[in-house]
Structure formats: structure tokens, C-alpha cells
Amino acid sequence: PLSIFKDTIKTSEKNKQIMIDEILKMEESSKNESNEKAKTWTGDTRGHEFLFKNKNFELLFIDIGNKIKEYIESLSLNSSELNFYFQRAWATVTKNQGNIKPHRHNQSHISFAYYLSLPKDSGAIVFLDDDPANQIAPGLFRSKLVRKPSLLNAPEVTIEAKENDIIIFPSKTRHTTKSNQTNKIRISISADIVITLKNSKSYERLMPDFSIWKRF
């Protein structure tokens, strides 16, 4: 089964509040008639998709970068041979009954969710497996034949997190969130990461670094 990396990144309450205020300011500035009543606001579709360029998030992204490399090392991959790039980064604000629909991030290699604000019952992340490795017939694990759900036969798995937790996973993994069942907002930060080879000699499985590409 798929392995998901979960850890904690702690930040001061002062710094956390600065980031929350900045995100809420972004949300407010991008409101219009079409999204004013939306239960979920996602910065990547509202013109705020490069959060890593904002100085208020600088220290957090340093910590996140270190966690990404820990994730790579946990897969027994040599991170010293790789270059890491934040491709996009955005915040999500989810209100009562809001959730994020199932989707993938096919344009990148690694994605994550970091929880700045996560009230109890405000919505967990769910990973979906359309073709579980152990499934011997299509759709079998969603049928009545499953006597007892387990990690060996699960077509989807819910990962419970706490505030300040980060969850890292392959971008190709389809995922969604449960609905926020509270009157408090859930605020998370996500990003897409691309990895390239520092030296592509004798390698073919990853891209050479973009610094040597030729634009035309």
C-alpha cells in the first residue's frame, strides 16, 4: 500500500497568526460575485499561487523543504543527487460544509498539506486508490464481499492530522477532504514540488535540471 509521510512543524503563535492574517487578507482581496459565498477558497485559482515568494511564509517554507528531503530519504532515495523546486504554493480556507473535491496534481512530483488551523471535525484528508494493488477483480474492494475493511483492502484511507502537522505524498495520488462540520475555518497550505537531477549523466528516470534546458 501507498506510504504517506506525516510529521509536525511547529511555529510560534505570533508567526502563525501573521500567516493566518495574510491568508485571510488574500481571500478577502480576491472575492467577487462568483465566489463570495463559496465554502472553500483555494488560493491557486484566485491569483495567489506563489506563496513561497511571500516573506511572511519564508521560515515555514525552509522547514517544509527540510521535511520534503526527509520524505525522499525515507524512500531510500539519495536527496544529495537532486534539486528541489517549489513549483506552486497556495493556501486553502474551508468553511462550514466546505470540502475539496477529489483531484490529483499531475504536473508535479510531490505535494503536501500543512495545517495552520485545524479545529476538531473540520475535515480530514482522504487518499483514494482507484486500482488497489491487492484488488484481484475491478471494484471488488467496494463490494459487499469485503467482510472487514483493513489497510490491505481499503480503496480509500482517511489520514487524521493535528494543527501544525504536514502530510507529504506523491502528487499523482488522488485525494479529497471530508466536509468541515464546524463553524470554524480550516486553513491549510499546499504546494507542488518538482525534483530534477543535479547531473543527468547515466540517469534517465528524472528530468535534467531546467537550468540547462533550451527554450524555443
Side-chain angles (χ1 to χ4, degrees), residues 174-185:
R174 200 160 70 101
H175 55 287
T176 182
T177 66
K178 292 189 173 181
S179 296
N180 184 348
Q181 299 298 314
T182 76
N183 290 319
K184 299 178 181 178
I185 58 173

Side-chain angles (χ1 to χ4, degrees), residues 79-211:
S79 62
S80 66
E81 297 286 333
L82 304 172
N83 286 328
F84 296 79
Y85 296 96
F86 288 114
Q87 181 195 74
R88 297 186 308 162
W90 65 96
T92 300
V93 179
T94 306
K95 300 173 183 177
N96 178 253
Q97 297 303 313
N99 79 312
I100 298 173
K101 305 300 182 185
H103 65 287
R104 294 182 174 91
H105 301 245
N106 287 328
Q107 79 285 354
S108 58
H109 297 124
I110 301 167
S111 297
F112 70 81
Y114 173 72
Y115 297 96
L116 265 182
S117 175
L118 188 65
K120 182 177 173 57
D121 298 324
S122 62
I125 189 168
V126 180
F127 292 97
L128 309 167
D129 193 348
D130 298 320
D131 187 20
N134 294 329
Q135 186 170 254
I136 58 177
L140 185 64
F141 287 169
R142 291 189 181 275
S143 74
K144 295 179 181 179
L145 287 170
V146 176
R147 186 171 53 195
K148 181 182 179 182
S150 73
L151 289 178
L152 296 178
N153 60 30
E156 62 182 55
V157 174
T158 299
I159 304 293
E160 298 291 347
K162 304 184 302 295
E163 202 164 284
N164 299 317
D165 277 355
I166 184 170
I167 296 175
I168 305 173
F169 53 93
S171 297
K172 65 182 181 180
T173 310
R174 200 160 70 101
H175 55 287
T176 182
T177 66
K178 292 189 173 181
S179 296
N180 184 348
Q181 299 298 314
T182 76
N183 290 319
K184 299 178 181 178
I185 58 173
R186 180 180 76 239
I187 300 178
S188 61
I189 293 173
S190 295
D192 293 329
I193 293 100
V194 169
I195 56 177
T196 66
L197 292 161
K198 288 183 177 179
N199 185 347
S200 60
K201 184 179 179 180
S202 76
Y203 290 106
E204 64 173 351
R205 296 301 178 190
L206 281 174
M207 295 181 290
D209 194 74
F210 77 92
S211 59

